[in-house]
Amino acid sequence: MTDGPIYHMSSTPIPDPGAPLRDSLVRQSRVLEAARAIVSVFDAYQAQFRLVTRRAEARFLRRDWQGGQQDAAERLTLYRQFVSWCVQDLRRSLGDATGDVALWSVLRQAYAREAMTRLDVELAYTFFNSVVRQVLKASGPEAGVYFDDREFQRLPPPFSSQVLRRYPGGRSLEALLRELLGDLPFGAAYAGRDEDAALIARRIAEELARGPGGAALEAIEIVPTPFYRNKGAYLVGRLVMGERTLPLVLPMVHDERGLRVDAVLSTADDVSVVFSFTRSYFHVELDCPRAMVDFLRSLMPRKPLDELYTSLGYHKHGKTELVRALLRHMEAHDARFEVAEGDKGLVMAVFALPTLNVVFKIIKDRFGPPKQTTRQQVMDKYNLVFVRDRVGRLADAQEFEGLAFARDSFAPELLEELRADCANTVLTDGDRVFLRHLYTERRVIPLNLYLRQVDELHAVEAVLDYGQAIKDLAAANIFTGDMLLKNFGVTRHGRVIFYDYDELCLLTECNFREIPAARNDDDEYSAEPWFSVGEHDVFPEEFRAFLTLPGRPGQAFMASHGDLLTVEYWRRMQQLAEKGEVVDIFPYRPSRRLR
Ligand SMILES: Nc1ncnc2c1ncn2[C@@H]1O[C@H](COP(=O)(O)OP(=O)(O)O)[C@@H](O)[C@H]1O
Ligand SMILES: [Mg+2]
């Protein structure tokens, strides 16, 4: 059907009683066509996402770790690519009508009807929202154009029951585990499975003996496909003892000695660390992400929904869930944004809600001395962290554009600060505040504050982990740049992580140097260095200024991590990084390992 202009031979138009009906049918069919076009691009996106995800199994079997890292990076680029293809497509087919807000509101309803019964409907809604955002950029968020909280709430519960495979008890635990491990997609490559079954059975029996007596193991339920990440494959499931269940995660490794289960994790805390916001996203093929997220939440009740989606690689939908949680939280608690606790940054203005574990970071218009970086460079650093392995030590930052809140959601002194330091990004209009760009991160306790609050024992533990964090990052070819305590934080699980990225760079980009000996007294006492310093020069001796900590914690730190002050240490790590070997720092304690 064409809908071009109709030319009449006569100058007086001939009345056509069917015209309004025909026009509306034309419009309807265009809307339906457009809705289906978006669905099909979303389908193509999901197909490509699966294709890349599916490669993980073969990479793990071949120990092709570099290939795995390429896949991870490739998968992160897909979303933006497909959204932009979709927008181009629509612009071609809808022409001038593309920017018509009224059209999008009908389109959304048509799309909802098309997507409603999908197993991944929530992701499909988020995809639509991304497309609308691109298309209606100039118009801003219009009511009725996006899928909002109400629409997500209205979704029926997921109906896929295929999340878990059940291995009933009533036999020896070892026999059960032999069957379970035998069903894994590793075939002959997994020669040691009987030995593993025996070791795991012993561990689980110990764990069960520790729990309340009486309850026998009824079954082990497990997600049939492993969750892949870096050099690990994780079997995720639970132990079922009647009403009671315990999480069960079996991390697997594959090295020169072969393929094997490396550890047994059976507490919510242990599992939560595996699914941490400081790790790269898993590669696991799913039909129904919602059903999987529901299951994961039953294992880790404290983990926010958005982080679970994100951990599975659905970080865009993770953002949807984060905003939903944020808005609901603000309403329920009548909460207001306030300046974040801790030392203020030179680059970022940081704020938070007192009762939600999220911080909001806005790049300031200008950076105080001695910072010489630009806004674009800061964004590049945050992107670098986004695409790289975060090795359990870097907080994942999600990027948002164009968020709007009521003015009274901001404490007055915060709004004052934002308007003074971030006027290019924070716009106020009547009683609305528009934030053009920001990052969100999980809120942790800044290490400088933490050390003031805790007793000596905890302080020693924290500073040792602080040194270990710097070393873990170095092993992954990352140099934090700014090592001050205030740029590190402590998670709920007591792990020390880093969150200030504007000076972060690859270890292999740095030039680690000794400070040259002074030639004379003038050199020694001059305020300026007496030797020339290149842009990438780093002098580990200078770290003494901030790695020297008072008291017992300081002594403990120097005893374990004094090598951080030496050029040899950094050059050695640099050489390792240059070899291009992929390092994986496993997310569990040595005591959980089987061997
Ligand atoms: N994830 C976080 N959790 C808790 N506080 C944070 C977090 N990120 C930043 N902050 C607080 O905000 C301050 C400034 O943030 P930072 O990322 O260090 O930016 P800058 O580069 O400007 O120093 C930090 O010193 C800390 O007190
Ligand atoms: Mg800082």
Side-chain angles (χ1 to χ4, degrees), residues 140-184:
E142 307 288 341
V145 172
Y146 293 100
F147 288 102
D148 61 17
D149 189 45
R150 272 169 316 174
E151 259 89 17
F152 284 102
Q153 267 179 40
R154 255 187 242 139
L155 291 176
F159 44 81
S160 157
S161 56
Q162 294 307 312
V163 171
L164 295 171
R165 189 181 285 159
R166 190 175 169 90
Y167 294 88
R171 50 181 158 164
S172 81
L173 201 47
E174 198 177 324
L176 183 160
L177 284 159
R178 268 204 300 270
E179 188 194 339
L180 187 157
L181 299 178
D183 284 345
L184 293 175

Side-chain angles (χ1 to χ4, degrees), residues 217-529:
L217 182 79
E218 194 178 293
I220 293 182
E221 294 177 336
I222 208 101
V223 180
T225 38
F227 289 49
Y228 297 97
R229 183 177 62 200
N230 298 335
K231 291 168 140 178
Y234 298 78
L235 310 180
V236 180
R238 64 183 172 199
L239 304 167
V240 183
M241 287 113 359
E243 294 288 282
R244 207 164 70 90
T245 61
L246 277 180
L248 179 68
V249 168
L250 304 175
M252 300 189 73
V253 296
H254 190 188
D255 55 20
E256 317 70 44
R257 286 181 291 146
L259 206 158
R260 64 185 180 280
V261 172
D262 192 43
V264 175
L265 312 178
S266 55
T267 67
D269 278 352
D270 280 353
V271 174
S272 188
V273 170
V274 172
F275 282 81
S276 166
F277 62 95
T278 59
R279 299 275 172 184
S280 316
Y281 308 150
F282 283 111
H283 284 225
V284 54
E285 256 193 281
L286 304 172
D287 290 331
C288 185
R290 216 148 42 110
M292 180 57 72
V293 164
D294 279 356
F295 168 63
L296 293 174
R297 206 158 198 211
S298 74
L299 301 182
M300 301 165 267
R302 298 184 63 172
K303 180 87 62 194
L305 206 56
D306 61 282
E307 288 182 19
L308 287 173
Y309 270 106
T310 300
S311 73
L312 301 175
Y314 301 115
H315 59 283
K316 292 293 177 179
H317 186 66
K319 287 171 60 182
T320 300
E321 293 295 347
L322 177 62
V323 172
R324 289 182 67 202
L326 172 67
L327 295 177
R328 253 179 291 149
H329 183 91
M330 290 177 81
E331 204 167 275
H333 295 78
D334 202 13
R336 248 180 11 170
F337 293 119
E338 284 168 19
V339 178
E341 274 186 312
D343 291 13
K344 285 203 164 105
L346 294 173
V347 170
M348 291 284 183
V350 184
F351 56 96
L353 293 168
T355 47
L356 191 76
N357 276 341
V358 179
V359 293
F360 300 79
K361 303 174 98 164
I362 296 187
I363 303 175
K364 294 183 178 182
D365 297 343
R366 277 172 303 278
F367 313 136
K371 296 277 179 192
Q372 293 191 331
T373 180
T374 64
R375 178 185 175 82
Q376 189 54 49
Q377 282 167 340
V378 174
M379 290 173 67
D380 291 345
K381 300 287 180 170
Y382 275 74
N383 192 55
L384 179 71
V385 170
F386 178 66
V387 299
R388 278 189 78 84
D389 180 20
R390 287 178 289 280
V391 294
R393 298 297 190 173
L394 299 175
D396 191 15
Q398 295 296 340
E399 193 173 11
F400 285 85
E401 279 172 314
L403 288 180
F405 297 96
R407 180 193 279 259
D408 58 14
S409 318
F410 293 80
E413 50 300 353
L414 168 62
L415 200 55
E416 206 55 42
E417 184 185 318
L418 292 178
R419 287 167 63 176
D421 296 341
C422 315
N424 293 340
T425 307
V426 178
L427 314 174
T428 46
D429 177 13
D431 59 358
R432 304 293 285 167
V433 177
F434 290 96
L435 309 174
R436 290 169 64 180
H437 182 269
L438 58 81
Y439 296 102
T440 60
E441 267 170 24
R442 170 79 86 83
R443 180 159 66 143
V444 290
I445 307 174
L447 184 55
N448 55 334
L449 302 189
Y450 180 86
L451 292 177
R452 276 183 234 149
Q453 292 162 10
V454 296
D455 59 26
E456 198 173 72
L457 196 69
H458 284 90
V460 168
E461 267 176 23
V463 300
L464 289 180
D465 205 40
Y466 161 57
Q468 194 56 49
I470 298 173
K471 287 182 171 172
D472 285 356
L473 287 166
N477 195 15
I478 288 176
F479 180 59
T480 55
D482 198 337
M483 289 182 195
L484 290 170
L485 295 175
K486 64 178 180 179
N487 295 322
F488 289 77
V490 185
T491 70
R492 193 161 58 79
H493 299 287
R495 284 178 57 80
V496 176
I497 62 153
F498 184 66
Y499 50 64
D500 180 346
Y501 304 146
D502 60 82
E503 288 184 22
L504 175 147
C505 62
L506 298 184
L507 216 59
T508 41
E509 293 167 355
C510 302
N511 180 26
F512 294 102
R513 290 181 60 190
E514 315 259 6
I515 299 177
R519 288 160 309 183
N520 51 46
D521 280 359
D522 285 354
D523 279 358
E524 184 111 48
Y525 298 106
S526 91
E528 296 296 312

Side-chain angles (χ1 to χ4, degrees), residues 547-568:
L547 294 183
T548 307
L549 307 168
R552 276 262 328 267
Q555 290 160 12
F557 183 89
M558 276 307 159
S560 293
H561 300 304
D563 49 353
L564 288 173
L565 299 174
T566 66
V567 172
E568 295 75 55

Side-chain angles (χ1 to χ4, degrees), residues 183-194:
D183 284 345
L184 293 175
F186 303 138
Y190 187 15
R193 61 173 169 256
D194 289 354

